[in-house]
Structures are given as structure tokens and as C-alpha cells.
Amino acid sequence: VTTSPPEVVQRAVLNTFLGAAGGGLTALLTVRLRDRINDLTSCLNGMLSGLVSVTASCALIEPYAAIVISIIGSLVYVFSAQLILLLGIDDPLEAFPVHGAAGLWGILATGLFSVEKYQAVAGFNISSWGAFYGGGGALLGANFIVAVAAIGFVCAILTPFFLVLKVSGLLRISADSEMLGTDLEDHGGAAYPEDMGGSQVLDESTYVVPPAGTKSEDTANSKIQGERKKSEDFLQV
């Protein structure tokens, strides 16, 4: 950044902010129309999706393109998040919709919206630029090949790794831990206390306690009592 012309830095900063704004608003409105709720988590992940979508091209595109790219990236996030739920894929942090799906779109968007003169100013003196600006499809094709290569590399490396974990029984936690929650089971507390409601004092209704007779029942009850005591002590300070 320190060696780039000020124009390049300014454009990158502006388009990054526009990407966050476009992505956040799009996700907020889309989920509002779909579910009739104002979902803060979806809004924040929409902002991240907008940022991810414009990362590759932020110094090479017009401001209006940053908004368009981030809007599409946010929609990609929302609907890919819904898709993996329908497929029964466990991704509670929505990492794939935000970074995988929106990131793939961002790579392809560079091949569509990149401006020739902005590439030259940034030091990319190549013979192809955004297809929407008459640059042909070479840049878009090259970016597509890079995306496929990255996906193939990750699959080739991690598929055997996860197969070994699955065969050895280490891929998933126990059913009891899933019911209790690993934040409480492994770390002794709630990761998101702001989701617990007004008083912040914990009781048995805060967690799904494993059925009686399971090995985690005593652990769950003792940890709930400990969490309640810590919360009460905190409120008395």
C-alpha cells in the first residue's frame, strides 16, 4: 500500500466501504422480506460477504460496480446459507456462504468489472480487463481457472484428512456434547451471553441439558450452577 499511487489507495478504501454497506443492507432487507425479522447476524454476515466480494477488485473497479458486486455477493451469501441448511450441512458460523460462495463470486466479478486504466495505474499491465468494458474474456477465464485450482487443491489435501478423522471417530463430538453445547462442555461458559436475555443470570432453561442418566447430565448441572453463581456475583459488583 505504501508504494501504491494515492489514487489506487483511495479507490480501494472507498470501494471497500461501499462493499460493506451494500452487502449489509442487502442481507438485512432480503432476510426481512423472507423471514419478517430484522436479523443482526445476517446483516453483519452480509457486510462480510460484501467485503469479501470486492476484496479482489477494490482497486480496479468503479464505485458503482462495488455496490453492484456487494449486492450480488450478499444475495449469494443469503441463498447459499439457506442451501446448506436444506442439504443438512453443519456450518453454524456460515463460513462457506460468506468466504467460499461470496469469495468465488468476487474472483469472477473482477473479470467482469475491472477497468483497464485502473489496472495500469495499479501496475497490472496486462492485455485483458473486465469483460463488461470490452476487455474480452481472458481475465475472467484466468480467474475461473484459479478458483477451480484452489478448490481442487483444498479438496485434494483435506478430503483424506477428514476421512482419517471420520474413520478414527474424531470428526464429530459426542451426542451429549452436541446437546449441551461445547462452549459450556469444553470451556466452562457461554460464548454469547448477550443472547441469554435481560438479567444475564443463568438457569436450567438456558441450556438443553442431556437426558437423565447420560454421562454429561451431572457435568451440565454442575456447570450451570457455576455459571449462575458467576453471573450473580457479577451483578452484585
Side-chain angles (χ1 to χ4, degrees), residues 62-90:
E62 299 284 2
Y64 87 88
I67 297 175
V68 173
I69 292 171
S70 65
I71 288 174
I72 297 175
S74 185
L75 293 174
V76 168
Y77 149 68
V78 170
F79 292 110
S80 61
Q82 189 173 15
L83 176 62
I84 63 173
L85 286 176
L86 293 175
L87 295 176
I89 298 174
D90 185 20

mmCIF file of all heavy atoms in Angstrom, residues 62-90:
data_model
loop_
_atom_site.group_PDB
_atom_site.id
_atom_site.type_symbol
_atom_site.label_atom_id
_atom_site.label_comp_id
_atom_site.label_asym_id
_atom_site.label_seq_id
_atom_site.Cartn_x
_atom_site.Cartn_y
_atom_site.Cartn_z
ATOM 1 N N GLU A 62 -15.028 0.726 -10.612
ATOM 2 C CA GLU A 62 -15.738 1.968 -10.326
ATOM 3 C C GLU A 62 -16.559 1.811 -9.045
ATOM 4 O O GLU A 62 -16.960 0.691 -8.686
ATOM 5 C CB GLU A 62 -16.664 2.318 -11.490
ATOM 6 C CG GLU A 62 -15.967 2.543 -12.822
ATOM 7 C CD GLU A 62 -15.274 3.897 -12.894
ATOM 8 O OE1 GLU A 62 -15.301 4.641 -11.894
ATOM 9 O OE2 GLU A 62 -14.696 4.193 -13.962
ATOM 10 N N PRO A 63 -16.858 2.916 -8.363
ATOM 11 C CA PRO A 63 -17.662 2.817 -7.144
ATOM 12 C C PRO A 63 -19.028 2.155 -7.350
ATOM 13 O O PRO A 63 -19.476 1.382 -6.506
ATOM 14 C CB PRO A 63 -17.800 4.280 -6.705
ATOM 15 C CG PRO A 63 -16.567 4.940 -7.228
ATOM 16 C CD PRO A 63 -16.291 4.273 -8.536
ATOM 17 N N TYR A 64 -19.684 2.466 -8.472
ATOM 18 C CA TYR A 64 -20.993 1.844 -8.693
ATOM 19 C C TYR A 64 -20.852 0.322 -8.795
ATOM 20 O O TYR A 64 -21.741 -0.437 -8.349
ATOM 21 C CB TYR A 64 -21.641 2.395 -9.966
ATOM 22 C CG TYR A 64 -21.254 1.666 -11.227
ATOM 23 C CD1 TYR A 64 -21.967 0.539 -11.651
ATOM 24 C CD2 TYR A 64 -20.150 2.072 -11.989
ATOM 25 C CE1 TYR A 64 -21.602 -0.145 -12.793
ATOM 26 C CE2 TYR A 64 -19.784 1.388 -13.122
ATOM 27 C CZ TYR A 64 -20.511 0.283 -13.530
ATOM 28 O OH TYR A 64 -20.139 -0.404 -14.652
ATOM 29 N N ALA A 65 -19.728 -0.140 -9.385
ATOM 30 C CA ALA A 65 -19.502 -1.575 -9.527
ATOM 31 C C ALA A 65 -19.310 -2.234 -8.163
ATOM 32 O O ALA A 65 -19.722 -3.384 -7.953
ATOM 33 C CB ALA A 65 -18.295 -1.840 -10.419
ATOM 34 N N ALA A 66 -18.680 -1.520 -7.229
ATOM 35 C CA ALA A 66 -18.513 -2.070 -5.879
ATOM 36 C C ALA A 66 -19.867 -2.331 -5.237
ATOM 37 O O ALA A 66 -20.057 -3.345 -4.548
ATOM 38 C CB ALA A 66 -17.689 -1.110 -5.017
ATOM 39 N N ILE A 67 -20.816 -1.422 -5.459
ATOM 40 C CA ILE A 67 -22.156 -1.608 -4.905
ATOM 41 C C ILE A 67 -22.842 -2.798 -5.560
ATOM 42 O O ILE A 67 -23.444 -3.650 -4.890
ATOM 43 C CB ILE A 67 -22.989 -0.324 -5.085
ATOM 44 C CG1 ILE A 67 -22.346 0.821 -4.308
ATOM 45 C CG2 ILE A 67 -24.428 -0.549 -4.623
ATOM 46 C CD1 ILE A 67 -23.018 2.169 -4.526
ATOM 47 N N VAL A 68 -22.758 -2.883 -6.884
ATOM 48 C CA VAL A 68 -23.379 -3.996 -7.603
ATOM 49 C C VAL A 68 -22.779 -5.332 -7.166
ATOM 50 O O VAL A 68 -23.501 -6.302 -6.871
ATOM 51 C CB VAL A 68 -23.224 -3.811 -9.127
ATOM 52 C CG1 VAL A 68 -23.718 -5.051 -9.874
ATOM 53 C CG2 VAL A 68 -23.979 -2.580 -9.601
ATOM 54 N N ILE A 69 -21.452 -5.388 -7.110
ATOM 55 C CA ILE A 69 -20.765 -6.632 -6.728
ATOM 56 C C ILE A 69 -21.146 -7.045 -5.307
ATOM 57 O O ILE A 69 -21.396 -8.223 -5.027
ATOM 58 C CB ILE A 69 -19.241 -6.461 -6.859
ATOM 59 C CG1 ILE A 69 -18.852 -6.311 -8.324
ATOM 60 C CG2 ILE A 69 -18.506 -7.650 -6.228
ATOM 61 C CD1 ILE A 69 -17.398 -5.917 -8.539
ATOM 62 N N SER A 70 -21.194 -6.074 -4.390
ATOM 63 C CA SER A 70 -21.516 -6.404 -2.999
ATOM 64 C C SER A 70 -22.965 -6.836 -2.837
ATOM 65 O O SER A 70 -23.269 -7.715 -2.026
ATOM 66 C CB SER A 70 -21.214 -5.213 -2.092
ATOM 67 O OG SER A 70 -22.056 -4.108 -2.386
ATOM 68 N N ILE A 71 -23.871 -6.238 -3.602
ATOM 69 C CA ILE A 71 -25.274 -6.652 -3.540
ATOM 70 C C ILE A 71 -25.419 -8.097 -4.000
ATOM 71 O O ILE A 71 -26.066 -8.923 -3.341
ATOM 72 C CB ILE A 71 -26.150 -5.723 -4.405
ATOM 73 C CG1 ILE A 71 -26.279 -4.351 -3.735
ATOM 74 C CG2 ILE A 71 -27.535 -6.326 -4.631
ATOM 75 C CD1 ILE A 71 -27.006 -3.322 -4.588
ATOM 76 N N ILE A 72 -24.796 -8.413 -5.130
ATOM 77 C CA ILE A 72 -24.852 -9.794 -5.620
ATOM 78 C C ILE A 72 -24.170 -10.738 -4.636
ATOM 79 O O ILE A 72 -24.671 -11.839 -4.347
ATOM 80 C CB ILE A 72 -24.209 -9.888 -7.014
ATOM 81 C CG1 ILE A 72 -25.001 -9.053 -8.018
ATOM 82 C CG2 ILE A 72 -24.141 -11.350 -7.475
ATOM 83 C CD1 ILE A 72 -24.374 -8.986 -9.394
ATOM 84 N N GLY A 73 -23.015 -10.327 -4.096
ATOM 85 C CA GLY A 73 -22.318 -11.157 -3.125
ATOM 86 C C GLY A 73 -23.144 -11.433 -1.891
ATOM 87 O O GLY A 73 -23.133 -12.551 -1.350
ATOM 88 N N SER A 74 -23.884 -10.443 -1.431
ATOM 89 C CA SER A 74 -24.744 -10.630 -0.262
ATOM 90 C C SER A 74 -25.884 -11.591 -0.565
ATOM 91 O O SER A 74 -26.243 -12.429 0.271
ATOM 92 C CB SER A 74 -25.293 -9.276 0.190
ATOM 93 O OG SER A 74 -26.029 -9.411 1.393
ATOM 94 N N LEU A 75 -26.462 -11.477 -1.765
ATOM 95 C CA LEU A 75 -27.517 -12.417 -2.157
ATOM 96 C C LEU A 75 -26.962 -13.832 -2.281
ATOM 97 O O LEU A 75 -27.630 -14.806 -1.903
ATOM 98 C CB LEU A 75 -28.141 -11.975 -3.482
ATOM 99 C CG LEU A 75 -28.939 -10.671 -3.441
ATOM 100 C CD1 LEU A 75 -29.381 -10.262 -4.845
ATOM 101 C CD2 LEU A 75 -30.159 -10.799 -2.515
ATOM 102 N N VAL A 76 -25.751 -13.951 -2.802
ATOM 103 C CA VAL A 76 -25.093 -15.259 -2.871
ATOM 104 C C VAL A 76 -24.949 -15.836 -1.471
ATOM 105 O O VAL A 76 -25.207 -17.030 -1.238
ATOM 106 C CB VAL A 76 -23.721 -15.137 -3.558
ATOM 107 C CG1 VAL A 76 -22.896 -16.420 -3.373
ATOM 108 C CG2 VAL A 76 -23.885 -14.830 -5.042
ATOM 109 N N TYR A 77 -24.548 -14.995 -0.512
ATOM 110 C CA TYR A 77 -24.425 -15.447 0.885
ATOM 111 C C TYR A 77 -25.760 -15.934 1.432
ATOM 112 O O TYR A 77 -25.860 -17.030 2.001
ATOM 113 C CB TYR A 77 -23.870 -14.328 1.757
ATOM 114 C CG TYR A 77 -24.374 -14.373 3.170
ATOM 115 C CD1 TYR A 77 -23.999 -15.408 4.032
ATOM 116 C CD2 TYR A 77 -25.270 -13.408 3.644
ATOM 117 C CE1 TYR A 77 -24.494 -15.475 5.323
ATOM 118 C CE2 TYR A 77 -25.770 -13.473 4.926
ATOM 119 C CZ TYR A 77 -25.380 -14.502 5.772
ATOM 120 O OH TYR A 77 -25.881 -14.579 7.036
ATOM 121 N N VAL A 78 -26.806 -15.120 1.292
ATOM 122 C CA VAL A 78 -28.106 -15.446 1.883
ATOM 123 C C VAL A 78 -28.630 -16.774 1.344
ATOM 124 O O VAL A 78 -29.064 -17.654 2.108
ATOM 125 C CB VAL A 78 -29.123 -14.319 1.632
ATOM 126 C CG1 VAL A 78 -30.526 -14.761 2.033
ATOM 127 C CG2 VAL A 78 -28.723 -13.067 2.407
ATOM 128 N N PHE A 79 -28.588 -16.940 0.036
ATOM 129 C CA PHE A 79 -29.195 -18.130 -0.552
ATOM 130 C C PHE A 79 -28.294 -19.360 -0.443
ATOM 131 O O PHE A 79 -28.797 -20.484 -0.353
ATOM 132 C CB PHE A 79 -29.585 -17.846 -1.996
ATOM 133 C CG PHE A 79 -30.710 -16.849 -2.106
ATOM 134 C CD1 PHE A 79 -30.493 -15.575 -2.607
ATOM 135 C CD2 PHE A 79 -31.977 -17.176 -1.660
ATOM 136 C CE1 PHE A 79 -31.521 -14.649 -2.689
ATOM 137 C CE2 PHE A 79 -33.023 -16.265 -1.734
ATOM 138 C CZ PHE A 79 -32.800 -15.001 -2.252
ATOM 139 N N SER A 80 -26.984 -19.184 -0.412
ATOM 140 C CA SER A 80 -26.115 -20.339 -0.188
ATOM 141 C C SER A 80 -26.205 -20.801 1.269
ATOM 142 O O SER A 80 -26.106 -22.001 1.551
ATOM 143 C CB SER A 80 -24.669 -20.017 -0.558
ATOM 144 O OG SER A 80 -24.159 -18.949 0.227
ATOM 145 N N ALA A 81 -26.418 -19.863 2.196
ATOM 146 C CA ALA A 81 -26.630 -20.243 3.594
ATOM 147 C C ALA A 81 -27.914 -21.057 3.735
ATOM 148 O O ALA A 81 -27.964 -22.042 4.491
ATOM 149 C CB ALA A 81 -26.691 -18.998 4.474
ATOM 150 N N GLN A 82 -28.945 -20.657 3.016
ATOM 151 C CA GLN A 82 -30.193 -21.411 3.037
ATOM 152 C C GLN A 82 -30.020 -22.780 2.391
ATOM 153 O O GLN A 82 -30.575 -23.781 2.859
ATOM 154 C CB GLN A 82 -31.285 -20.617 2.313
ATOM 155 C CG GLN A 82 -32.687 -21.203 2.445
ATOM 156 C CD GLN A 82 -33.738 -20.281 1.859
ATOM 157 O OE1 GLN A 82 -33.438 -19.349 1.115
ATOM 158 N NE2 GLN A 82 -34.990 -20.533 2.188
ATOM 159 N N LEU A 83 -29.212 -22.838 1.338
ATOM 160 C CA LEU A 83 -28.992 -24.104 0.636
ATOM 161 C C LEU A 83 -28.297 -25.124 1.517
ATOM 162 O O LEU A 83 -28.698 -26.302 1.551
ATOM 163 C CB LEU A 83 -28.174 -23.853 -0.631
ATOM 164 C CG LEU A 83 -27.783 -25.096 -1.429
ATOM 165 C CD1 LEU A 83 -29.019 -25.824 -1.936
ATOM 166 C CD2 LEU A 83 -26.862 -24.722 -2.592
ATOM 167 N N ILE A 84 -27.242 -24.713 2.230
ATOM 168 C CA ILE A 84 -26.526 -25.693 3.045
ATOM 169 C C ILE A 84 -27.387 -26.183 4.213
ATOM 170 O O ILE A 84 -27.216 -27.313 4.682
ATOM 171 C CB ILE A 84 -25.173 -25.145 3.550
ATOM 172 C CG1 ILE A 84 -25.358 -23.944 4.476
ATOM 173 C CG2 ILE A 84 -24.263 -24.802 2.391
ATOM 174 C CD1 ILE A 84 -24.062 -23.498 5.118
ATOM 175 N N LEU A 85 -28.329 -25.351 4.669
ATOM 176 C CA LEU A 85 -29.271 -25.824 5.681
ATOM 177 C C LEU A 85 -30.182 -26.895 5.100
ATOM 178 O O LEU A 85 -30.462 -27.913 5.744
ATOM 179 C CB LEU A 85 -30.100 -24.662 6.218
ATOM 180 C CG LEU A 85 -29.397 -23.685 7.160
ATOM 181 C CD1 LEU A 85 -30.336 -22.539 7.525
ATOM 182 C CD2 LEU A 85 -28.917 -24.389 8.422
ATOM 183 N N LEU A 86 -30.659 -26.669 3.884
ATOM 184 C CA LEU A 86 -31.522 -27.652 3.230
ATOM 185 C C LEU A 86 -30.782 -28.959 2.969
ATOM 186 O O LEU A 86 -31.370 -30.038 3.014
ATOM 187 C CB LEU A 86 -32.058 -27.088 1.914
ATOM 188 C CG LEU A 86 -33.038 -25.905 2.035
ATOM 189 C CD1 LEU A 86 -33.390 -25.369 0.653
ATOM 190 C CD2 LEU A 86 -34.300 -26.328 2.779
ATOM 191 N N LEU A 87 -29.473 -28.863 2.723
ATOM 192 C CA LEU A 87 -28.661 -30.048 2.474
ATOM 193 C C LEU A 87 -28.205 -30.737 3.755
ATOM 194 O O LEU A 87 -27.574 -31.782 3.702
ATOM 195 C CB LEU A 87 -27.431 -29.673 1.634
ATOM 196 C CG LEU A 87 -27.715 -29.174 0.208
ATOM 197 C CD1 LEU A 87 -26.420 -28.737 -0.464
ATOM 198 C CD2 LEU A 87 -28.418 -30.242 -0.618
ATOM 199 N N GLY A 88 -28.501 -30.121 4.909
ATOM 200 C CA GLY A 88 -28.112 -30.712 6.186
ATOM 201 C C GLY A 88 -26.638 -30.614 6.485
ATOM 202 O O GLY A 88 -26.091 -31.442 7.213
ATOM 203 N N ILE A 89 -25.967 -29.597 5.933
ATOM 204 C CA ILE A 89 -24.536 -29.403 6.169
ATOM 205 C C ILE A 89 -24.342 -28.511 7.393
ATOM 206 O O ILE A 89 -24.961 -27.453 7.496
ATOM 207 C CB ILE A 89 -23.861 -28.782 4.932
ATOM 208 C CG1 ILE A 89 -23.992 -29.732 3.732
ATOM 209 C CG2 ILE A 89 -22.396 -28.481 5.212
ATOM 210 C CD1 ILE A 89 -23.489 -29.149 2.437
ATOM 211 N N ASP A 90 -23.485 -28.934 8.295
ATOM 212 C CA ASP A 90 -23.274 -28.217 9.551
ATOM 213 C C ASP A 90 -22.268 -27.083 9.348
ATOM 214 O O ASP A 90 -21.072 -27.326 9.188
ATOM 215 C CB ASP A 90 -22.768 -29.197 10.614
ATOM 216 C CG ASP A 90 -22.645 -28.544 11.982
ATOM 217 O OD1 ASP A 90 -23.283 -27.496 12.193
ATOM 218 O OD2 ASP A 90 -21.918 -29.072 12.836
#
